[in-house]
Amino acid sequence: DAKTTQPPSMDCAEGRAANLPCNHSTISGNEYVYWYRQIHSQGPQYIIHGLKNNETNEMASLIITEDRKSSTLILPHATLRDTAVYYCIVKETSGSRLTFGEGTQLTVNP
Amino acid sequence: NAGVTQTPKFQVLKTGQSMTLQCAQDMNHEYMSWYRQDPGMGLRLIHYSVGAGITDQGEVPNGYNVSRSTTEDFPLRLLSAAPSQTSVYFCASSYGWQVAGNTIYFGEGSWLTVV
């Protein structure tokens, strides 16, 4: 599975959009981009995933660059409850193994 | 649905003791796995199973044993606990491990301290 690079920490004001970047320059054609988050002391929570196209669900939007070497997770209106570690993961379609890096600690400030 | 259920949530063991962390899912998922998370670090895969009767090693399997006799249950056994196994353990499951873009669901974690 491709390695990902994320900033270790980010801050965001409550009510503003949080844009979390991820670099995955060695991603291959059959690898999906997944985003999970982990709120303190809880199990990781699935947010969104995509292959090529931009994706949106009730939690977030995922923007994948045309060359697929990077992506951005967007939380459109961040709340204090969005404070968490956000993990960007790329993995193949076959096999459900996730390889977690160190993620980005997002802190939403009032 | 209960989702992925782990027990116990907290456990203290003495060095050399053995114990089993239980994991059950009610979503008829084929794939189940165990991760450990040490302070300030990401999750690391211990063992996984792609279906009943099939298990395989992950990134850090030493000191742990698993079995998968039913689709629903995937217990993790610590054979002889060591302080290095002090960690938070997460069980996870997903449907159709070969399905493109499948989502993995995690339990709430089991905090284990070995003294």
Side-chain angles (χ1 to χ4, degrees), chain A:
Chain A
D1 293 343
K3 180 178 172 60
T4 62
T5 304
Q6 298 177 252
S9 63
M10 294 183 64
D11 287 300
C12 177
E14 188 177 19
R16 303 296 294 268
N19 297 294
L20 291 89
C22 180
N23 288 322
H24 31 79
S25 58
T26 60
I27 192 170
S28 61
N30 62 345
E31 289 183 313
Y32 279 70
V33 179
Y34 282 77
W35 283 84
Y36 280 76
R37 73 180 182 183
Q38 189 173 24
I39 298 170
H40 182 63
S41 300
Q42 297 183 18
Q45 178 188 21
Y46 166 80
I47 302 173
I48 198 167
H49 73 277
L51 183 62
K52 296 180 183 178
N53 300 320
N54 299 337
E55 302 288 344
T56 296
N57 63 20
E58 65 278 5
M59 290 182 67
S61 295
L62 174 61
I63 308 298
I64 303 174
T65 59
E66 190 170 345
D67 63 8
R68 303 209 324 123
K69 293 185 177 181
S70 66
S71 60
T72 301
L73 177 74
I74 301 172
L75 307 178
H77 305 286
T79 70
L80 299 179
R81 288 177 293 181
D82 291 322
T83 292
V85 178
Y86 287 76
Y87 295 99
C88 169
I89 301 163
V90 295
K91 78 170 191 70
E92 296 179 359
T93 56
S94 61
S96 295
R97 180 171 174 158
L98 292 176
T99 301
F100 285 80
E102 297 186 2
T104 296
Q105 171 67 59
L106 174 68
T107 302
V108 181
N109 300 305

Side-chain angles (χ1 to χ4, degrees), chain B residues 41-106:
Chain B
M41 296 180 65
L43 282 73
R44 293 183 292 170
L45 182 64
I46 305 172
H47 284 286
Y48 66 97
S49 168
V50 300
I54 306 169
T55 64
D56 206 345
Q57 296 182 350
E59 182 184 356
V60 288
N62 293 338
Y64 306 95
N65 197 7
V66 292
S67 61
R68 184 94 180 269
S69 57
T70 67
T71 299
E72 294 77 20
D73 301 299
F74 190 46
L76 178 71
R77 298 183 186 83
L78 279 72
L79 307 174
S80 177
S84 60
Q85 293 179 304
T86 293
S87 190
V88 182
Y89 292 84
F90 291 99
C91 181
S93 75
S94 68
Y95 173 74
W97 71 286
Q98 289 182 317
V99 173
N102 52 334
T103 300
I104 296 182
Y105 299 90
F106 287 84

Side-chain angles (χ1 to χ4, degrees), chain B residues 25-42:
Chain B
Q25 52 88 11
D26 60 0
M27 298 174 280
N28 200 32
H29 284 172
E30 296 177 351
Y31 181 91
M32 297 185 74
S33 56
W34 277 101
Y35 291 82
R36 61 175 287 175
Q37 185 174 32
D38 299 322
M41 296 180 65

